[in-house]
Amino acid sequence: MMPIRYLTIHCAATPEGRDVKPDTIAQWDRAKFGQESYHHIVTLDGHDHVRLPDTKRGAHTGGANTGNIGVCYVGGMSKDMKAPKDTRTEAQKITLQAIVAAYRARYPGIVIRGHNEWPKVAKACPSFSVKAEIAKGLL
Ligand SMILES: [Zn+2]
């Protein structure tokens, strides 16, 4: 898993406002990938749930999980589940900023990306532009 070179931001693809618990997401991922996917899950209240140590490989970016920290916020879909939507609460935004800042300090040169910024990923995840937020100094 080491060295850490990337941090990829994801959404859980759950409906706006639904307070999905990290244990539930972990259960889905264990069923699908045989292990937990993310290093951090950020719930609606902005709590940072650490699920995997940085030294353990996650399962969140197809073919590119080595050296790649996965951070997932709960939400990312409209209430009716029909469309991707940036549903981040203010608390989630603040926590995502803090996580990114901490990893930049811990692993200088780390590249921060949205899941959809990886090559050949035809997904809306994380339902906002990480690139644009970095350009604006918001991440
Ligand atoms: Zn994703």
Side-chain angles (χ1 to χ4, degrees):
M1 177 63 183
M2 308 301 279
I4 304 297
R5 294 174 57 216
Y6 299 98
L7 182 152
T8 302
I9 299 179
H10 300 262
C11 65
T14 52
E16 181 170 21
R18 188 182 293 172
D19 190 21
V20 179
K21 303 299 180 202
D23 283 347
T24 304
I25 294 168
Q27 218 177 331
W28 297 337
D29 292 334
R30 272 194 225 102
K32 219 164 151 185
F33 304 113
Q35 68 160 90
E36 289 212 30
S37 288
Y38 307 108
H39 296 83
H40 297 262
I41 296 175
V42 180
T43 41
L44 299 186
D45 61 2
H47 192 94
D48 172 13
H49 299 260
V50 177
R51 303 293 307 195
L52 295 172
D54 290 0
T55 49
K56 185 160 169 39
R57 200 155 74 135
H60 54 90
T61 302
N65 283 297
T66 300
N68 189 354
I69 296 294
V71 179
C72 174
Y73 75 92
V74 172
M77 293 294 284
S78 60
K79 268 199 169 79
D80 61 10
M81 287 296 284
K82 285 190 176 151
K85 183 178 178 185
D86 181 2
T87 64
R88 290 174 297 162
T89 63
E90 281 310 306
Q92 284 176 309
K93 287 183 184 174
I94 289 165
T95 301
L96 286 173
Q97 286 168 354
I99 291 171
V100 167
Y103 275 93
R104 281 199 180 110
R106 205 175 304 157
Y107 304 107
I110 191 169
V111 174
I112 314 296
R113 279 186 184 166
H115 189 185
N116 58 359
E117 292 167 19
W118 282 90
K120 296 182 200 158
V121 174
K123 284 184 167 204
C125 179
S127 304
F128 70 96
S129 172
V130 170
K131 206 177 191 173
E133 294 219 345
I134 289 172
K136 284 188 253 176
L138 296 172
L139 264 181

